Amino acid sequence: MLEKQEKRYRRHKRVRAKISGTSKVPRLCVFRSAKHIYAQLIDDEKGKTLVASGAQKIKELPRVALQAQREGVKNEEKEKRAGKVAIAFEVGKLIAKEAKKQKIEKVVFDRGGYRYHGRVKALAQGAREEGLKF
């Protein structure tokens, strides 16, 4: 039987056969590890990464979100996010801000063979909230 990563890699290859990014509409590629989440905007025609962002750039947010959750604060949907999901949301917002600086407004979303759920979904929502169109 195939291992989990091999299955994900096969799903990712199937998705990549159907989508690709250009300089005007790059591919928003997501990679999720056990600890972190990364996002890149890639121009597949030139084979270049236009913008990259990762969880290491976000440091302060998770503690604040976890503290709010422990204290029982239930305000907005943003406050419900805690831990890795909150970090993924902020990474999405960060990559969208960097894309706006390079005048990129529309992207093709590549979930990397992962389910559109949890951290991957939070990253996409964060990017959409900052104005990136999928």
Side-chain angles (χ1 to χ4, degrees), residues 107-124:
V107 296
V108 177
F109 189 67
D110 176 9
R111 59 189 173 86
Y114 304 107
R115 289 186 340 169
Y116 186 76
H117 179 267
R119 291 190 281 161
V120 176
K121 184 177 179 181
L123 189 141

Side-chain angles (χ1 to χ4, degrees), residues 66-80:
L66 282 173
Q67 188 177 9
Q69 189 181 34
R70 286 185 193 130
E71 293 172 359
V73 176
K74 292 183 180 178
N75 290 342
E76 298 178 20
E77 186 178 326
K78 294 176 193 174
E79 303 243 348
K80 291 180 187 176

